[in-house]
Amino acid sequence: MNKLQQLFQKKPNNLLSIFFTAGYPQLEDTIPLIQYLCKSSVDFIEIGFPFSDPLADGPTIQATNYQAIQNGMTLSLLFKQLSSLPPISTPLILMGYLNPILQMGIPQFLHNCSQNQIDAIIIPDLPFDYYEKYFQKTMSEYNICSVFLVTPSTPPDRLNQIKQFTTGFVYVVSDNSITGKNIDFQKQKKYLENLQQCLEGVPKIIGFGIKDPLSFQTACQFANGAIIGSAFLNHLKNHKISLELVQNFIQSIRL
Amino acid sequence: MIRPDKHGYYGEFGGAFIPEMLFQNVYELQQQYEKIIFSDDFQRTYQSYLKDYVGRPTPLYEAQNLSQHYGVKVWLKREDLCHTGAHKINNAIGQVLLAKYMGKQRIIAETGAGQHGVATATACALLNMPCQIFMGEKDIERQKLNVLRMKMLGAIVTPASSGSKTLKDATNEAIRAWIQDPQHTYYVIGSVVGPHPYPDMVALFQSIISQEIKTQLQEKGYQYPNYVIACVGGGSNAIGAFYHFIHNPITQLIAVEAAGEGIHTHKTAATITLGKKGILHGSLSYLIQSDDGQIFEPHSISAGLDYPGIGPIHSFLYEQKRIQVLSATDQEALEAALELTRLEGIIPALESAHALAALKKIPFQQNHSIVINLSGRGDKDMNTYQNVFSYE
Ligand SMILES: Cc1ncc(COP(=O)(O)O)c(C=O)c1O
């Protein structure tokens, strides 16, 4: 079991995860941000590596991707930064689109993950056949977890497939939506309840549109926890990052 | 003829690399498109629109002055005479009709030059569907006439202001809009790009071009052309013109990319010439990108070719050495446009002018016959022509 799987065993409820874009607001903010998030008792951390064309993302994350690329962030630089991170107990997840990974080469990418404390990866545009062909075996050798997305329009037989492929958690997308939109739990109640049944026994984390104590708590009623991305990145905007800045945000969510 | 395997691959190219949010939409389309578009009922309606509404078959015109100038027989496939002024309508009518059959209630599309936007808005007016077109801010500026046409046709034109503010960004915005209304919205992609089944479907709709060329040449007593030449943005007019010649090795197929200010500058859209394999907009193909996999902002004077990728079919045909890829600069395209205008009295679209520019680059023999796909007319480019040629 890796750190992420242990976390789900130890603490099955109210997990809070924070997503941020590597290289934003400043190129060298990646490592300090990880350390501040650890100190703020976030349960696990998702590091996004930037892509020029983030199809599933709304304006906030589009802007952080753009800024990070302008700042000079690349996937190989991110691994270089991560190699300077002292061992941490908080699970780390890497998230990003497939193209930068293809350019690095899939074996090299997975090797780099295994050398840099990465416990799971999320690639929103990775098809199952590619996962099976090029990722699955090596990931299990390196003990890196797989995470797949489900949405309100994911058909039932596909849910089953996702359940089978998942070794980390299922990323429950709160709505048919890009990142950074508001979520209407009333509208999604049936979808979320249905997932509790269909994906019983599989850790579930809700993301997209979680931004305040209310949406976080509500999400936790339907899943093991939630991921906050856009709201956190908006909080960082125009600021010099500091432990206080990060702690303020986490406290404002956990209350 | 060329069709992908059942997962949408042409060799290693193509596929459907899409976020989960689009899975159901794309899957539904994959399951239904062949059943619907090959049905008698669909074909009857579609073919009658092509004939009486679009104005097909478009002429295959023997350009005598141009032929004399180059010392070779040049035929122009007159897609510029299609209703709305370009080949894009062949695909737009097909897809909007398909959307109707699938019970969709709203149409979205991206556009570069505005020709696909106008064609889609036209099909939507005809078939009574609400329509929203995404267009890069820069393209809204340089293709004003087409923006006005789309608005008059009743479409909402939404500017895409991210990135290079051109076709790539308009496509991103269209996909994001699709993610947010998967059930009711049908996304009409304008070229042979995007996730499977779009490249196959758009190629099928555009293949009418080469079907007609073949028949028309035979009627004129020619068995086959020695060359078929077309410009490539995403590659829809090119694959349409190549489709029925792919298995005839005697016909050389020439795709002309936009070199912009030159392939040795950063201001270029010569995708195959300069690109590496990668994934954009749901399929694996050649892309112009950095070592880190960030897509470069392309440049071409012609908005319709200003795209950093190319359809997976073309990447495949290129690797199979079945097509030859050339490039033409902004300047060469402008010169070719003026040349055709003065020699034949036909003002071509800037995109099509890139295909014409290839006449100076091909080592043809006197007895060869060449077909150039004149994909569109130049009305939309009068702003650019006026600026470049300094007409008062
Ligand atoms: C007249 C014309 N030709 C060519 C193109 C390029 O597209 P494709 O490569 O798909 O034919 C466009 C695109 O807008 C166009 O308007």
Side-chain angles (χ1 to χ4, degrees):
Chain A
M1 260 200 282
N2 72 18
K3 281 185 290 183
L4 183 68
Q5 290 163 321
Q6 282 167 8
L7 173 69
F8 290 126
Q9 290 222 321
K10 265 198 324 246
K11 186 181 171 190
N13 298 314
N14 296 317
L15 294 169
L16 173 61
S17 172
I18 293 291
F19 168 90
F20 72 92
T21 306
Y24 176 87
Q26 301 290 329
L27 184 62
E28 299 297 338
D29 285 345
T30 317
I31 298 301
L33 263 179
I34 293 173
Q35 291 173 323
Y36 298 155
L37 286 165
C38 292
K39 284 199 180 122
S40 313
S41 308
V42 161
D43 291 301
F44 61 97
I45 299 169
E46 262 182 70
I47 310 164
F49 52 90
F51 182 46
S52 52
D53 296 83
L55 282 186
D57 287 298
T60 298
I61 296 181
Q62 284 174 43
T64 62
N65 274 262
Y66 180 77
Q67 189 58 49
I69 294 169
Q70 291 293 310
N71 290 348
M73 182 48 75
T74 65
L75 189 51
S76 32
L77 178 60
L78 173 59
F79 281 123
K80 208 164 142 212
Q81 291 180 343
L82 287 173
S83 68
S84 73
L85 179 70
I88 54 170
S89 56
T90 311
L92 283 184
I93 296 176
L94 216 50
M95 176 162 188
Y97 293 85
L98 186 51
N99 194 51
I101 298 175
L102 284 189
Q103 302 316 312
M104 174 171 277
I106 296 168
Q108 184 64 48
F109 169 76
L110 292 176
H111 177 76
N112 288 343
C113 287
S114 76
Q115 298 296 303
N116 289 290
Q117 305 191 61
I118 302 301
D119 299 292
I121 52 183
I122 309 176
I123 308 167
D125 55 347
L126 175 67
F128 284 167
D129 57 340
Y130 246 62
Y131 170 70
E132 284 188 278
K133 228 159 128 183
Y134 301 114
F135 287 82
Q136 192 170 27
K137 188 160 164 281
T138 315
M139 279 172 66
S140 101
E141 280 165 15
Y142 287 143
N143 209 6
I144 299 169
C145 289
S146 61
V147 175
F148 292 97
L149 277 57
V150 305
T151 78
S153 49
T154 302
D157 52 338
R158 192 166 162 86
L159 279 180
N160 278 330
Q161 238 178 333
I162 287 172
K163 190 175 170 178
Q164 275 168 19
F165 281 137
T166 299
T167 58
F169 61 89
V170 171
Y171 191 128
V172 178
V173 178
S174 60
D175 195 353
N176 289 312
S177 163
I178 52 179
T179 53
K181 298 273 154 139
N182 291 332
I183 160 166
D184 176 354
F185 279 102
Q186 213 44 44
K187 191 176 122 199
Q188 303 303 344
K189 196 157 182 271
K190 249 176 86 182
Y191 155 59
L192 295 171
E193 283 174 353
N194 180 48
L195 286 183
Q196 287 180 313
Q197 285 190 353
C198 296
L199 298 176
E200 220 202 313
V202 185
K204 290 171 282 296
I205 303 290
I206 298 184
F208 286 38
I210 312 298
K211 57 168 191 192
D212 52 20
L214 183 64
S215 53
F216 176 65
Q217 282 161 15
T218 316
C220 289
Q221 288 168 18
F222 295 100
N224 305 73
I227 296 169
I228 300 180
S230 297
F232 179 69
L233 291 164
N234 281 329
H235 181 79
L236 298 186
K237 194 172 168 183
N238 301 327
H239 284 90
K240 207 172 136 32
I241 60 155
S242 65
L243 177 59
E244 201 191 346
L245 184 71
V246 173
Q247 270 176 339
N248 282 346
F249 183 82
I250 304 304
Q251 279 160 11
S252 79
I253 300 295
R254 280 233 171 93
L255 286 175
Chain B
M1 292 262 292
I2 179 165
R3 301 289 308 273
D5 72 18
K6 71 177 196 299
H7 300 295
Y9 286 95
Y10 303 86
E12 66 177 303
F13 300 103
F17 297 83
I18 47 169
E20 185 64 26
M21 301 81 176
L22 289 177
F23 178 83
Q24 181 55 23
N25 296 19
V26 169
Y27 182 73
E28 183 190 11
L29 195 58
Q30 287 172 354
Q31 296 304 306
Q32 294 196 21
Y33 81 108
E34 289 174 297
K35 232 182 316 187
I36 294 174
I37 68 178
F38 292 131
S39 73
D40 290 344
D41 191 57
F42 181 96
Q43 279 299 325
R44 214 174 304 119
T45 315
Y46 177 58
Q47 294 300 338
S48 96
Y49 280 133
L50 285 186
K51 176 165 176 284
D52 298 325
Y53 188 76
V54 174
R56 304 207 71 92
T58 58
L60 185 70
Y61 165 67
E62 184 183 341
Q64 292 193 354
N65 298 333
L66 197 64
S67 298
Q68 202 168 34
H69 186 78
Y70 283 97
V72 69
K73 195 179 275 301
V74 182
W75 309 88
L76 299 177
K77 180 58 175 166
R78 300 291 308 273
E79 292 301 294
D80 62 315
L81 294 178
C82 288
H83 177 45
T84 70
H87 68 292
K88 297 281 180 186
I89 189 93
N90 303 328
N91 168 49
I93 291 214
Q95 283 198 56
V96 175
L97 198 58
L98 172 66
K100 282 233 129 175
Y101 272 70
M102 290 174 68
K104 299 287 177 182
Q105 288 153 26
R106 171 177 170 250
I107 296 293
I108 57 171
E110 86 295 340
T111 195
Q115 285 304 130
H116 175 59
V118 167
T120 304
T122 298
C124 285
L126 174 70
L127 297 166
N128 191 23
M129 290 278 253
C131 177
Q132 183 178 12
I133 305 291
F134 295 86
M135 187 169 188
E137 262 174 8
K138 181 175 165 192
D139 294 339
I140 287 181
E141 195 50 42
R142 59 180 164 172
Q143 309 278 221
K144 271 191 198 130
L145 175 66
N146 277 347
V147 177
L148 295 177
R149 294 167 79 196
M150 287 184 266
K151 288 185 175 169
M152 185 161 175
L153 286 158
I156 295 167
V157 180
T158 305
S161 53
S162 56
S164 52
K165 302 174 172 52
T166 58
L167 182 53
K168 165 175 86 86
D169 311 286
T171 307
N172 289 343
E173 289 309 322
I175 292 176
R176 290 183 186 122
W178 197 24
I179 286 174
Q180 293 177 76
D181 183 19
Q183 244 182 343
H184 306 296
T185 299
Y186 182 96
Y187 176 22
V188 180
I189 294 186
S191 193
V192 280
V193 300
H196 174 63
Y198 281 102
D200 184 40
M201 182 164 64
V202 177
L204 287 167
F205 285 135
Q206 293 293 0
S207 66
I208 181 85
I209 300 173
S210 51
Q211 191 181 314
E212 287 175 6
I213 294 172
K214 216 172 156 180
T215 317
Q216 287 165 325
L217 276 178
Q218 277 164 7
E219 281 166 9
K220 296 173 202 287
Y222 291 82
Q223 278 312 303
Y224 52 83
N226 297 91
Y227 290 92
V228 178
I229 305 173
C231 66
V232 272
S236 69
N237 88 87
I239 201 65
F242 297 165
Y243 208 80
H244 292 278
F245 299 110
I246 288 173
H247 294 298
N248 177 356
I250 292 158
T251 300
Q252 300 202 45
L253 307 174
I254 312 274
V256 188
E257 303 189 310
E261 294 184 4
I263 55 169
H264 300 299
T265 71
H266 283 297
K267 303 189 86 179
T268 178
T271 312
I272 284 191
T273 309
L274 298 171
K276 288 179 295 190
K277 291 168 199 175
I279 290 168
L280 179 68
H281 298 146
S283 62
L284 196 152
S285 194
Y286 278 96
L287 297 174
I288 41 179
Q289 56 180 321
S290 71
D291 291 340
D292 184 47
Q294 310 300 344
I295 313 302
F296 284 144
E297 294 178 5
H299 164 83
S300 167
I301 196 170
S302 96
L305 306 183
D306 202 347
Y307 184 71
I310 186 167
I313 311 177
H314 292 289
S315 291
F316 175 71
L317 291 174
Y318 173 73
E319 285 224 333
Q320 297 286 307
K321 299 193 165 32
R322 181 61 192 98
I323 64 171
Q324 196 186 331
V325 176
L326 301 179
S327 66
T329 62
D330 292 349
Q331 190 57 37
E332 289 168 332
L334 287 163
E335 284 164 15
L338 189 58
E339 183 179 85
L340 183 75
T341 305
R342 295 293 168 84
L343 284 175
E344 295 288 346
I346 298 171
I347 302 178
L350 264 169
E351 290 78 16
S352 323
H354 287 72
L356 293 161
L359 278 175
K360 289 202 164 66
K361 301 173 184 249
I362 294 172
F364 46 71
Q365 292 159 16
Q366 239 178 8
N367 60 347
H368 279 167
S369 58
I370 298 180
V371 174
I372 297 178
N373 195 30
L374 199 66
S375 56
R377 69 178 86 129
D379 305 28
K380 69 184 178 62
D381 295 311
M382 287 316 299
N383 252 344
T384 307
Y385 289 145
Q386 181 185 21
N387 291 336
V388 174
F389 301 129
S390 307
Y391 299 123
E392 291 298 309

